[in-house]
Amino acid sequence: MPGGGVRLISGADEILTAEAVRAAVAELVGDAARADVLDEFSGDEYTLEDLVISASTPPMLATHRVVVARGLSRFGAGDLAALIAWLDDPCPTTDLVLEWDSGRVPRSLAEAVEATGGHRVASDVPGGARHRRAWLEERLAESPVQLDARARASIAEHLGSELSRLGAVLETLAAVFGEGARLDADDVLPYLGAEGDVPPWELTDAIDRGQVGATLAVLQRMWGAGRHPLAVTATVANHITRMARLDGADASNEKEAAEILGMRGSTFPARKALDACRRRGSDGIARAVELAAAADMDLRGRSGLDPRCVAEILCARLAAGSR
């Protein structure tokens, strides 16, 4: 592949960011010998001057060079002048891969990359259930093994919100069964590892559906992922507060509910709160507020119960009251 391209890869999840960098390097190196075309910078030792010198050096044994800068976010925005100057007049035989793995990308760097015709790649899993499902399906479709519907569903359910583990799972399956192997749920389950965490809305959704068993199952996954009971009860209390604010407010649709709740962006959470408000009614919401207040006192030591037990009792009672 000819040089002259710039890719700026950023994301908060270090696993996904590293995977995106590896994929970019593999694509850019192609069939060439890595030792002939690839120059990588990582750790705390290299300077931006080192990077610029490498990126400015013409290839010796190949048609292009691939230069990779990992952990670029350790440099402050004021330290990027040399790199930005290079981007203003890039070497036409160099493909440059920049990894920004923490915090927001400085505007000066982002604009310099865009001005040179480079590409920005966001490596994180997108927010929102629908976008996360689409992200997962896209990567499962690119899997080195062929997964049937039950296998895909098993992987999605098992990983929960920890989708950054997907790449490692698929690599393991390919190593065990061989690339192109056709696998079902029974084939993949032994290689999925511990169950992943789940997003908070799975708990409140189970509660609103009146599913006590499912509610407790979600809580067990949260405990396994290290969630603190105070964080869990805060999520539940926030959901109850939204219902209480909507009770009697005469919101007829999710847009009006979002305005009452002061939400910006997606109105989907407001619709959930409005549906839950209508399902419980004023008396049910008042009871939910009482239960949340009692649980808060118990978590502060009134009952002496284990905090997880307090949270489980609260969520089970709220789910039972939503039937």
Side-chain angles (χ1 to χ4, degrees), residues 39 51-60 64-65 67 86 91 93-94:
D39 196 3
L51 174 65
V52 168
I53 290 172
S54 176
S56 302
T57 304
M60 297 291 291
H64 72 292
R65 301 181 72 246
V67 179
W86 184 91
C91 178
T93 55
T94 295

Side-chain angles (χ1 to χ4, degrees), residues 23-278:
V25 170
E27 178 187 342
L28 294 171
V29 171
D31 296 330
R34 292 173 71 92
D36 293 341
V37 301
L38 182 61
D39 196 3
E40 295 189 78
F41 294 86
S42 62
D44 297 330
E45 300 301 322
Y46 79 89
T47 67
L48 288 181
E49 287 70 22
D50 296 331
L51 174 65
V52 168
I53 290 172
S54 176
S56 302
T57 304
M60 297 291 291
L61 302 173
T63 59
H64 72 292
R65 301 181 72 246
V66 179
V67 179
V68 181
R70 300 181 185 273
L72 196 63
S73 55
R74 71 181 176 87
F75 298 101
D79 302 323
L80 300 173
L83 174 58
I84 291 174
W86 184 91
L87 289 169
D88 187 51
D89 185 22
C91 178
T93 55
T94 295
D95 282 306
L96 183 62
V97 179
L98 306 174
E99 177 196 71
W100 193 276
D101 55 349
S102 178
R104 179 176 295 181
V105 176
R107 177 179 295 180
S108 57
L109 177 59
E111 291 179 348
V113 170
E114 292 172 2
T116 197
H119 301 285
R120 290 196 59 181
V121 179
S123 62
D124 286 337
V125 179
R130 180 169 60 85
H131 296 299
R132 291 172 69 85
R133 283 195 299 270
W135 184 94
L136 178 63
E137 286 299 324
E138 180 179 340
R139 276 145 189 82
L140 287 175
E142 299 170 350
S143 169
V145 292
Q146 299 183 44
L147 304 163
D148 68 12
R150 287 183 60 247
R152 292 178 180 227
S154 295
I155 291 174
E157 180 180 357
H158 197 91
L159 295 183
S161 62
E162 298 180 12
L163 295 182
S164 62
R165 292 167 49 192
L166 177 63
V169 168
L170 296 178
E171 287 180 8
T172 299
L173 293 174
V176 172
F177 296 98
E179 292 195 11
R182 297 177 178 273
L183 307 179
D184 59 24
D186 293 335
D187 294 323
V188 305
L189 282 176
Y191 301 95
L192 297 183
E195 286 188 320
D197 195 6
V198 291
W201 65 76
E202 287 203 13
L203 176 62
T204 52
D205 284 355
I207 290 173
D208 289 342
R209 290 192 299 266
Q211 298 173 334
V212 177
T215 295
L216 295 176
V218 170
L219 283 172
Q220 294 310 306
R221 293 187 65 165
M222 288 182 161
W223 304 149
R227 296 271 187 135
H228 195 282
L230 285 173
V232 171
T233 54
T235 295
V236 174
N238 183 56
H239 187 57
I240 294 172
T241 299
R242 287 177 176 176
M243 287 189 284
R245 291 179 62 187
L246 292 174
D247 185 36
D250 296 327
S252 60
N253 55 56
E254 62 185 84
K255 181 178 180 180
E256 293 178 359
E259 292 177 354
I260 293 169
L261 296 174
M263 290 183 176
R264 296 182 178 180
S266 173
T267 59
F268 189 60
R271 187 176 77 184
K272 286 187 175 181
L274 183 60
D275 290 343
C277 174
R278 290 168 175 170

Side-chain angles (χ1 to χ4, degrees), residues 283-303:
D283 291 343
I285 294 172
R287 175 58 178 161
V289 171
E290 292 174 357
L291 290 172
D296 182 66
M297 294 296 294
D298 289 341
L299 286 171
R300 297 175 188 275
R302 182 181 67 176
S303 70

